[in-house]
Amino acid sequence: MMKNNLDGLKDVYGFTLVQTLKSKPFKTFVLILFVIALVSMPLIELITNGPSRESKTSDISKVCVIDETGLPLADYSSIKENNLYKDIVFEYTDKSADEIENEILEDDSGAILLHITSDMGVFNMRYINSPSGKVSEMELINLSGFIEDIFWTNVISNLGVTTEQKERLEEPIITDFKFYTGEVDDIEEEEGSRFGVTFEEYYFALFAFVCITMLISYGGSGIATTIVTEKSTKLIEILLTRIKPMAIIMGKVFAMLTVTIIQLSSVVLGLGLSSLIYKNAFNSDAYLPEFLVRSLGSSVFENVTLANIIVILIMYVLGFIFYGFLAGLTGATVSKIEELREGMVVYTFLTIIGAYMGLALPIIGLQGSVPSGYAHFAFLFPISSVFVTPVYLLFGKVTISIALLAILLLVISTILVIIFTSKVYQTIILHQGNIIKFKDLISISKTSKEAR
Amino acid sequence: MALLANDLTKKYGDKTVLDHLSFKIEEPGVYALLGTNGAGKTTALRILLGMLNFEEGRVTWKGKPLDPTTSNVGYLPEERGLYPKYTIMDQLLYFAKLKNMPRKEAKEKIAYWSERLDVEDYVYPSKLKKNKKKFYTAEQLSKGNQQKIQLMIALLSDPELLILDEPLSGLDPVNSDLFKSIIREEINKGKYLIMSSHQMPVIEEFCEDITILNRGKTVLQGNLNEIKKGYGRVNLFLRCEGDILPIIKEYGLSLVSQSPMEYHIRVEEEETATLLLRRLIEEQIPVIKFELREPSLHEIFVEKVGVVDDEE
């Protein structure tokens, strides 16, 4: 009975996975990732709001308000509903601004002055704090946002505008031109504006690219290292008497894929715990710090649906397998572990090209528009699709049909890489000597046949 | 017939590295593949083990194409290594699992071979303070001990066919004797062994049938005893009191070597040696040693490989 080409894959998978999980570099790496993720939320909160936030209430004790606008006075007490500001006292005063300013300058209890004036159709809100240093600038800026909101609501409501009407009034006006010149580029320009990104999306895309590139590079490097270890120690000769070569490389690719998913999960778990810590430590209603929500914007989160997550996971798995086989192939072209970096030039080059092709989209997109042809090429081209398509699917800028087409192309490319690997792997894995060049791989693939 | 290698030919481009090699193993015992470096021994073994594709020929084991992944074949490669960072026990269990051995059976075999090869200290973790255990990794073992672990990997599944490529190279005399005793045990168990070695005395000690390869071609093949008989008893080892060089010259014999104690003379036929002995007795030269024997494998090997090289 001839052995199936993939018999033993499970054993290789289990052994590679367990040994990688037991290794010190993996444990250290995951621990670092987990700790970073765990402290991230409280850290962001502390950095953005300062250490005073540890007290869970603002250091601002009193706001002395001088309102010289002539409008009915606003009621700021609703700010106290926010736990952070629950102890703040708002006090209107008839004293002069200079008088209060002098009092504030000598105060060290956390009182501040808010001086509201109206001049030439502009409302001015001026804040003055004590030089004692008790109240930080960031605290003032954060509070000003709430005060401004209440003040404006008060202005509007005094004009007889309802809350709903106010919301409509606050809707932004976006002006767009569809200006035809008769040139062919017109249509592309119109289409390309779909791929423009906001600053929030840009930063999110950068973060996502770094994560995907890091995971694929880490996995690829792990696959290549174990393959060249088996080759340089001649263990491969023993393995080949027990198992077919395709089962060896495939087992390693799947094992490292699992390793990167475990790494990713540790980050997600860390972030989840971090959110819980943030929620409890800062007595907040939200799971994410205000800074994060404000920075990333709602557009990043609104496409997090189950279907999109499944498509993204499939793309990641396929992309990893595609790059994993390339890594295994390039790892097998060298005979010594010292030559691995040199041997993996092609793999590294492809990864960088793919990542940069993806990275170019948000960079160009910041200008407002990306050539539609380039965007679609990057979404569909198997080298770049794994880096960019999942991110733009989350932005809602890639339709599900484009994502499915990208998956199909990735499947075809992965199958081609696997077929090519099966043709050359057994020959090159036994080769000892100089690094095998790409053109040599091509000629081997033309002449090779299955050894058994 | 157990193993049949028929007409095996392997080429790299225009270069033929194995040229129509054929041999068969009919009975349990050790078959030797000999040759100089680059003669094609390892290539032949890799073809037998299905690692390399080849242009012509076929390999059958018990009448069916040999597939080491399904047949119970053990292999000790010439250049040896283990996973440097992994524990010895993990590696042994992994290789046993790849041979579809149940874990319990694998552990029993590991226990047996660890004791037999005296590597228990490295296979099983030693207890340290606070219930901590120290596991040995391959990189912490000496070369000889790594070699023992590799032999253990080859033997774990109790293979029917055992292929050993230079099994004794790099071993100290004590471990060399240990390996030899294990090889002898395997022969006694009725196993089939194929051995490649440069150590001719080892081959003479174990092997019945041999193939000598030179530059991919078979230059000599057959039963070692028959081959030697074919050469006849042409080596005369002689120790006498007194100078016998003039007599040796008189008979036109070729002196292979001379030490203070002994002459090594090459004779064309046994009768010449008898004539020489008769002459020494007539001359009343005391003869202490008179030994007439077949050529050693070493001599046959050097002669065969040298002749072919000269012809080329």
Side-chain angles (χ1 to χ4, degrees):
Chain A
M1 187 182 66
M2 295 301 284
K3 201 167 188 174
N4 186 297
N5 271 340
L6 297 180
D7 279 355
L9 183 151
K10 204 175 68 170
D11 299 329
V12 177
Y13 169 83
F15 182 72
T16 311
L17 180 64
V18 169
Q19 295 303 328
T20 309
L21 297 186
K22 278 165 78 174
S23 70
K24 272 186 189 165
F26 171 82
K27 286 178 188 168
T28 313
F29 188 56
V30 166
L31 189 68
I32 290 170
L33 284 180
F34 181 73
V35 170
I36 289 173
L38 194 65
V39 301
S40 61
M41 301 290 177
L43 203 63
I44 288 170
E45 190 61 38
L46 288 176
I47 290 168
T48 52
N49 286 327
S52 59
R53 184 72 191 267
E54 282 172 355
S55 63
K56 296 183 186 176
T57 55
S58 172
D59 286 320
I60 300 168
S61 59
K62 189 166 94 175
V63 180
C64 301
V65 187
I66 302 175
D67 190 333
E68 295 175 352
T69 58
L71 293 168
L73 297 178
D75 179 11
Y76 297 105
S77 59
S78 61
I79 287 179
K80 291 177 157 206
E81 287 170 13
N82 185 324
N83 279 327
L84 184 63
Y85 302 122
K86 66 180 180 187
D87 297 332
I88 295 182
V89 176
F90 286 88
E91 192 179 283
Y92 280 101
T93 177
D94 295 330
K95 291 180 184 175
S96 72
D98 288 343
E99 231 176 311
I100 299 290
E101 188 171 342
N102 285 334
E103 283 178 23
I104 294 288
L105 290 175
E106 286 172 13
D107 176 86
D108 60 355
S109 66
I112 60 166
L113 166 65
L114 166 58
H115 187 192
I116 310 171
T117 54
S118 173
D119 185 25
M120 306 285 284
V122 175
F123 291 115
N124 290 310
M125 299 183 114
R126 185 161 171 255
Y127 292 87
I128 296 167
N129 73 317
S130 156
S132 67
K134 191 166 184 184
V135 178
S136 71
E137 189 181 357
M138 186 57 78
E139 268 191 290
L140 272 182
I141 292 168
N142 283 340
L143 181 66
S144 70
F146 291 98
I147 288 179
E148 202 176 293
D149 197 38
I150 292 173
F151 178 79
W152 184 241
T153 308
N154 185 49
V155 171
I156 296 286
S157 61
N158 278 299
L159 293 171
V161 178
T162 63
T163 312
E164 289 77 26
Q165 287 170 327
K166 177 186 168 263
E167 280 174 9
R168 292 300 307 274
L169 280 170
E170 284 170 347
E171 282 177 6
I173 297 168
I174 298 168
T175 308
D176 192 15
F177 297 96
K178 192 169 182 180
F179 188 73
Y180 285 108
T181 60
E183 300 290 328
V184 179
D185 290 348
D186 284 343
I187 297 160
E188 273 198 15
E189 186 80 16
E190 162 71 13
E191 178 75 7
S193 63
R194 276 178 48 213
F195 305 116
V197 289
T198 60
F199 267 106
E200 294 86 45
E201 288 171 336
Y202 170 75
Y203 287 120
F204 181 81
L206 281 191
F207 175 74
F209 284 146
V210 169
C211 286
I212 297 171
T213 311
M214 193 179 74
L215 291 173
I216 286 183
S217 300
Y218 178 90
S221 158
I223 293 163
T225 304
T226 56
I227 283 174
V228 79
T229 300
E230 284 170 0
K231 189 175 174 181
S232 61
T233 57
K234 311 295 184 297
L235 269 169
I236 189 67
E237 292 191 29
I238 301 176
L239 287 169
L240 288 176
T241 63
R242 290 154 198 256
I243 186 171
K244 306 280 183 183
M246 279 312 286
I248 298 175
I249 188 167
M250 209 170 262
K252 288 183 192 306
V253 171
F254 287 137
M256 291 311 294
L257 171 65
T258 312
V259 167
T260 60
I261 288 172
I262 290 170
Q263 285 171 337
L264 199 60
S265 306
S266 76
V267 174
V268 171
L269 183 71
L271 286 173
L273 286 174
S274 187
S275 299
L276 269 178
I277 293 170
Y278 162 79
K279 193 174 157 67
N280 292 316
F282 294 100
N283 204 12
S284 169
D285 295 334
Y287 267 101
L288 294 173
E290 191 194 327
F291 168 81
L292 262 187
V293 178
R294 224 175 33 235
S295 303
L296 293 178
S298 58
S299 65
V300 172
F301 298 105
E302 68 192 14
N303 292 300
V304 183
T305 62
L306 183 64
N308 280 355
I309 288 173
I310 291 171
V311 170
I312 287 168
L313 275 177
I314 292 172
M315 282 224 73
Y316 175 70
V317 168
L318 285 170
F320 189 94
I321 295 172
F322 174 77
Y323 276 105
F325 268 91
L326 286 178
L329 197 59
T330 48
T333 60
V334 303
S335 306
K336 296 175 195 158
I337 200 99
E338 309 89 79
E339 295 171 344
L340 187 58
R341 188 186 290 259
E342 196 184 337
M344 288 191 74
V345 165
V346 176
Y347 170 79
T348 312
F349 183 70
L350 282 177
T351 320
I352 290 172
I353 292 281
Y356 273 90
M357 275 178 70
L359 201 57
L361 272 180
I363 291 173
I364 304 169
L366 262 186
Q367 316 300 318
S369 139
V370 179
S372 172
Y374 173 74
H376 281 102
F377 181 70
F379 293 146
L380 298 174
F381 191 45
I383 300 287
S384 57
S385 62
V386 63
F387 296 99
V388 67
T389 312
V391 180
Y392 274 67
L393 190 65
L394 273 186
F395 291 167
K397 294 175 193 295
V398 166
T399 59
I400 200 82
S401 54
I402 292 284
L404 291 176
L405 187 59
I407 286 177
L408 179 69
L409 291 173
L410 206 46
V411 168
I412 294 168
S413 312
T414 307
I415 290 172
L416 289 175
V417 169
I418 292 174
I419 291 171
F420 183 76
T421 306
S422 71
K423 279 176 177 283
V424 300
Y425 189 68
Q426 187 156 350
T427 306
I428 63 173
I429 199 70
L430 291 170
H431 165 87
Q432 294 292 331
N434 295 335
I435 298 171
I436 301 170
K437 305 277 183 238
F438 186 67
K439 62 176 183 182
D440 299 325
L441 289 179
I442 299 289
S443 57
I444 290 169
S445 73
K446 285 178 183 168
T447 56
S448 74
K449 59 179 181 181
E450 282 271 353
R452 43 171 200 254
Chain B
M1 188 180 307
L3 184 110
L4 173 70
N6 190 26
D7 234 10
L8 304 179
T9 303
K10 171 72 187 169
K11 291 179 182 175
Y12 288 114
D14 296 333
K15 193 181 176 191
T16 304
V17 291
L18 199 62
D19 196 356
H20 299 282
L21 169 68
S22 296
F23 66 92
K24 58 188 173 186
I25 306 176
E26 292 177 284
E27 299 293 329
V30 186
Y31 193 96
L33 272 181
L34 308 174
T36 51
N37 295 325
K41 305 185 297 290
T42 301
T43 303
L45 294 181
R46 284 177 173 178
I47 288 175
L48 290 178
L49 289 162
M51 288 181 216
L52 284 180
N53 55 25
F54 45 100
E55 278 65 32
E56 285 176 49
R58 68 192 178 105
V59 182
T60 58
W61 170 245
K62 294 183 175 172
K64 292 176 184 170
L66 174 60
D67 182 356
T69 60
T70 50
S71 308
N72 195 356
V73 178
Y75 176 49
L76 180 70
E78 180 184 8
E79 292 176 84
R80 289 177 265 274
L82 295 163
Y83 292 103
K85 305 278 183 195
Y86 303 164
T87 67
I88 302 300
M89 180 57 99
D90 282 353
Q91 301 193 45
L92 290 167
L93 287 172
Y94 174 50
F95 285 110
K97 202 172 182 190
L98 288 178
K99 278 286 182 192
N100 297 319
M101 287 177 74
R103 197 174 170 85
K104 191 177 168 225
E105 187 191 337
K107 287 196 165 180
E108 284 169 7
K109 292 281 183 191
I110 290 168
Y112 169 77
W113 285 113
S114 300
E115 191 187 351
R116 181 76 181 83
L117 286 159
D118 195 20
V119 284
E120 285 167 300
D121 291 348
Y122 309 111
V123 174
Y124 296 99
S126 49
K127 282 183 184 170
L128 298 173
K129 286 176 185 172
K130 294 178 185 173
N131 283 336
K132 284 188 174 176
K133 290 177 178 178
K134 178 180 169 58
F135 289 90
Y136 275 94
T137 57
E139 65 186 357
Q140 293 171 314
L141 266 59
S142 69
K143 202 181 163 195
N145 282 327
Q146 287 191 33
Q147 215 158 317
K148 288 180 182 179
I149 301 296
Q150 282 226 322
L151 182 65
M152 204 195 291
I153 290 170
L155 293 167
L156 270 182
S157 63
D158 200 13
E160 287 179 281
L161 175 63
L162 189 58
I163 298 180
L164 307 172
D165 198 354
E166 297 288 351
L168 305 179
S169 72
L171 288 174
D172 61 50
V174 175
N175 283 320
S176 188
D177 282 350
L178 178 64
F179 271 45
K180 281 185 194 175
S181 69
I182 289 171
I183 291 170
R184 208 165 286 119
E185 275 174 20
E186 293 302 304
I187 297 167
N188 293 338
K189 283 185 204 168
K191 302 291 176 64
Y192 295 82
L193 285 89
I194 299 175
M195 194 194 290
S196 154
S197 178
H198 285 123
Q199 293 169 284
M200 299 303 156
V202 176
I203 299 292
E204 284 188 293
E205 189 176 342
F206 292 111
C207 302
E208 291 174 10
D209 298 304
I210 63 163
T211 288
I212 297 180
L213 293 170
N214 189 47
R215 297 183 184 182
K217 289 185 175 149
T218 305
V219 291
L220 187 69
Q221 190 170 68
N223 181 280
L224 187 55
N225 285 333
E226 297 295 325
I227 290 169
K228 283 186 173 183
K229 274 183 194 167
Y231 275 85
R233 296 191 185 114
V234 292
N235 285 312
L236 175 61
F237 295 88
L238 195 59
R239 198 190 302 171
C240 307
E241 286 181 1
D243 183 13
I244 61 164
L245 270 177
I247 302 171
I248 292 170
K249 280 183 184 172
E250 188 184 318
Y251 279 81
L253 300 173
S254 107
L255 185 67
V256 179
S257 65
Q258 181 188 357
S259 67
M261 303 290 287
E262 200 168 88
Y263 297 95
H264 177 191
I265 303 159
R266 175 69 46 83
V267 294
E268 293 295 324
E269 42 196 22
E270 288 181 33
E271 206 166 309
T272 314
T274 314
L275 287 173
L276 178 65
L277 180 62
R278 200 171 289 152
R279 173 73 183 277
L280 292 174
I281 292 166
E282 280 169 12
E283 296 279 336
Q284 294 186 329
I285 297 172
V287 177
I288 300 162
K289 178 181 175 183
F290 182 89
E291 185 186 347
L292 196 56
R293 66 176 190 219
E294 295 148 347
S296 65
L297 181 58
H298 178 95
E299 288 165 319
I300 295 171
F301 181 86
V302 171
E303 184 207 299
K304 278 293 165 189
V305 172
V307 166
V308 174
D309 279 350
D310 288 346
E311 282 173 2
E312 287 176 2

